[in-house]
Amino acid sequence: MTYQYWNPGMETISRRGLEAWQLEKLRCAVRHALRTPFYAKRLKEAGIDSPERIKTLDDLRRIPFTTKHDLREGFPYGFLSIPKEQVVRLHASSGTTGAPTTIYFNKEDLMRWTGFVARSIYATGCNRTDVFQNMITYGLFTGGLGFHAGGEEIGMLVIPSGAGNTTRQFRLMQDFGTTVVHATPSFLLHVEAKMREEGVTRENLKLRKAFAGAEPYSEDTRKRIEELLAIDVYNSYGLSEMNGPGVAFECQCKNGLHLWEDGYIGEIINPETLEPVREGGPGELVLTCLCREATPILRYRTRDLSGFYNGPCACGRTHRRLYRIKGRTDDMLIINGVNLFPSQIEEVIMSMKEVGNNYLIVVEKEGALDRLTVQTEVGPAVFTDDSRVLNALKERIRKTLQASITINPKVELHERGSLPIFEGKAKRVHDKRPKDV
Ligand code: DLL
């Protein structure tokens, strides 16, 4: 296979060259950080009162971590390093789990971010002849405008369709010959189910590729979407605190996500001891943004669980690859003392062919104990007059889950299309246990 690079010099730079670049950019980031109310205090307390205190990349570890809590405390301007008149855009988290957090950009910040998204899209083999339908939420969420700008930078025809409304999405795909889409993996699974319902066949479409991200999903989910839609699916990782999408992305080898290390420094730590994890992980990903002036963020604890692959990638890029994100440390459920990530349940469900694309995880209190219920959709063939078919499948799913997660779940089977649909990030876990227990 031949590989194409958007920025060949930077994507294949030697590790030494990359580290020299990172050191220079880290000093710039510290210079900008010292101009913000938050870091002026935090960095000086840590003895870093000027960028010159950063002598080597190892000095990064002298910088204290930044958390979501810090960002909330700093709302609205505690992390702003430039005069407000120079800010040209802001993005914000929804604030559904607390006070909102806001990231500001100046013009150059936006250009740099766009460059990383363009580089990511190009790494999957797309070019200016592609027609790109951006089926994700526009607005304060970074997925819409971030991908939009990256696609335009490459010269693709970008259709800003936004999330939802599958009927209109299909019409746009057919009218304009869409070759690439971007969506959450859960919306892509829903698209496939809707295609069947609306009689749209793969042959009616020119679709070849999809970028799927913004939420965790398993390798089996990727395979399922690829098989059902006959396309290539590329994993896309990012977070608003680090601009948005375009932080790490899969290349055509689909074997880990290249972290764009000229824009972001990645570390993997043990979330309990906060010490670095050897051999690349697994552990919590910590990121330092090297490519934004308006809102510098240093050593941000993402809460995302990942790690680095060893060794080079066949594509020739020298930027290290992250494992598929398994989940967030704060997503972990403790069920009767056993730790469980929702992704472990998804892995089992998606590996069973007869189980549908949608599922929910419900946790309740039953007396003193926790009760886990997995609700999942199955095809019409199971709902016959003979309840033995249904019960046999239910039992098989239960046993397979129990063997994998060591918890005995209750399994409920639902008809296709009856569980809630998610246009944005899926909310698959309903933890109904009282919060103070
Ligand atoms: O989700 C940015 C984005 C937009 C990424 C479009 C990819 C595509 P936030 O809303 O701030 O930003 O959410 C960031 O989503 O910390 C992860 O927990 C999760 N996440 C994002 N991408 C992935 C992925 C955007 N590929 C949070 N796999 C992150 C697993 C992901 N989790």
Side-chain angles (χ1 to χ4, degrees):
M1 196 189 281
T2 50
Y3 300 101
Q4 58 181 33
Y5 311 110
W6 182 248
N7 182 342
M10 194 45 97
E11 288 172 58
T12 62
I13 189 173
S14 69
R15 290 300 303 180
R16 254 184 91 184
L18 187 56
E19 281 161 18
W21 169 280
Q22 285 185 326
L23 180 58
E24 191 193 319
K25 296 293 165 193
L26 178 60
R27 287 196 186 119
C28 292
V30 168
R31 181 173 311 117
H32 286 288
L34 284 166
R35 293 181 190 141
T36 69
F38 174 82
Y39 284 117
K41 187 162 176 286
R42 182 67 72 87
L43 288 179
K44 279 175 196 155
E45 278 165 9
I48 303 168
D49 53 3
S50 105
E52 274 62 54
R53 299 275 175 201
I54 305 293
K55 304 233 180 296
T56 69
L57 275 182
D58 286 339
D59 288 333
L60 178 68
R61 290 191 55 198
R62 294 179 49 207
I63 299 176
F65 294 112
T66 304
T67 63
K68 185 92 178 169
H69 177 77
D70 294 329
L71 294 181
R72 286 188 178 135
E73 294 268 299
F75 181 82
Y77 295 120
F79 284 80
L80 183 64
S81 83
I82 57 170
K84 282 187 207 143
E85 312 79 75
Q86 288 171 21
V87 174
V88 295
R89 168 107 61 90
L90 65 79
H91 281 281
S93 70
S94 61
T96 45
T97 55
T101 57
T102 312
I103 302 297
Y104 304 95
F105 298 80
N106 67 19
K107 268 196 181 163
E108 290 74 29
D109 294 339
L110 284 182
M111 272 167 47
R112 280 185 287 264
W113 176 26
T114 298
F116 284 111
V117 181
R119 181 196 292 188
S120 305
I121 296 177
Y122 203 68
T124 67
C126 290
N127 59 42
R128 56 184 308 121
T129 64
D130 278 295
V131 178
F132 171 43
Q133 194 162 319
N134 199 13
M135 307 197 296
I136 211 147
T137 310
Y138 279 64
L140 289 174
F141 178 60
T142 53
L145 286 172
F147 265 89
H148 186 104
E152 283 186 349
E153 178 75 6
I154 290 177
M156 302 158 108
L157 167 58
V158 182
I159 308 176
S161 61
N165 197 341
T166 37
T167 308
R168 195 191 52 183
Q169 301 283 4
F170 294 142
R171 210 177 54 232
L172 289 168
M173 286 182 199
Q174 287 170 314
D175 286 349
F176 302 109
T178 301
T179 56
V180 193
V181 291
H182 169 219
T184 56
S186 36
F187 190 64
L188 287 174
L189 286 168
H190 171 61
V191 161
E192 193 280 330
K194 277 287 181 196
M195 273 173 73
R196 259 181 288 150
E197 221 176 281
E198 300 195 17
V200 179
T201 63
R202 297 188 309 211
E203 292 70 37
N204 297 146
L205 305 177
K206 294 202 173 130
L207 212 55
R208 293 188 298 125
K209 289 182 174 45
F211 313 128
E215 63 185 13
Y217 60 114
S218 65
E219 191 56 40
D220 278 313
T221 301
R222 182 228 295 270
K223 290 206 185 97
R224 188 177 277 220
I225 302 170
E226 290 192 324
E227 275 162 30
L228 293 170
L229 295 174
I231 57 173
D232 281 305
V233 173
Y234 296 92
N235 196 352
S236 139
Y237 170 77
L239 57 162
S240 2
E241 295 81 358
M242 298 289 130
N243 297 330
V247 173
F249 221 91
E250 281 184 325
C251 66
Q252 284 173 290
C253 300
K254 289 195 217 163
N255 190 14
L257 300 96
H258 290 281
L259 172 70
W260 301 127
E261 292 181 277
D262 50 327
Y264 307 93
I265 301 182
E267 302 168 78
I268 305 288
I269 61 161
N270 177 326
E272 316 259 289
T273 63
L274 307 185
E275 287 300 314
V277 174
R278 297 204 181 280
E279 306 295 329
E284 180 183 337
L285 177 64
V286 171
L287 290 171
T288 295
C289 190
L290 300 179
C291 55
R292 196 178 51 222
E293 292 170 2
T295 325
I297 297 189
L298 310 173
R299 300 195 86 199
Y300 182 64
R301 289 191 59 189
T302 65
R303 303 267 171 200
D304 292 323
L305 291 165
S306 185
F308 284 109
Y309 282 95
N310 279 324
C313 183
C315 75
R317 290 179 179 83
T318 46
H319 300 237
R320 287 181 300 166
R321 288 163 299 146
L322 289 170
Y323 317 151
R324 178 180 286 285
I325 310 290
K326 185 174 159 197
R328 297 173 55 80
T329 51
D330 39 11
D331 275 353
M332 191 179 77
L333 295 164
I334 303 180
I335 299 189
N336 297 324
V338 178
N339 296 352
L340 175 72
F341 283 100
S343 60
Q344 290 172 267
I345 293 181
E346 175 175 319
E347 264 165 40
V348 174
I349 286 181
M350 289 298 161
S351 67
M352 298 182 78
K353 288 260 177 294
E354 52 288 64
V355 180
N357 294 342
N358 208 352
Y359 69 94
L360 280 183
I361 299 166
V362 182
V363 192
E364 289 155 302
K365 252 319 179 213
E366 223 174 57
L369 292 179
D370 300 322
R371 168 47 106 184
L372 171 72
T373 306
V374 177
Q375 304 179 343
T376 171
E377 289 184 3
V378 285
V382 182
F383 294 99
T384 61
D385 289 342
D386 186 354
S387 60
R388 279 174 303 181
V389 183
L390 193 79
N391 288 334
L393 177 59
K394 218 192 245 187
E395 185 54 14
R396 206 148 54 75
I397 298 173
R398 190 193 63 74
K399 277 194 176 149
T400 318
L401 275 167
Q402 189 178 11
S404 166
I405 63 178
T406 71
I407 296 168
N408 183 11
K410 192 170 145 203
V411 173
E412 283 178 12
L413 303 185
H414 293 254
E415 284 181 46
R416 245 189 221 143
S418 60
L419 291 180
I421 310 294
F422 305 98
E423 289 170 1
K425 292 177 196 261
K427 291 190 182 62
R428 297 198 189 276
V429 179
H430 291 193
D431 194 340
K432 299 181 175 170
R433 290 174 293 188
K435 290 286 168 267
D436 54 339
V437 180

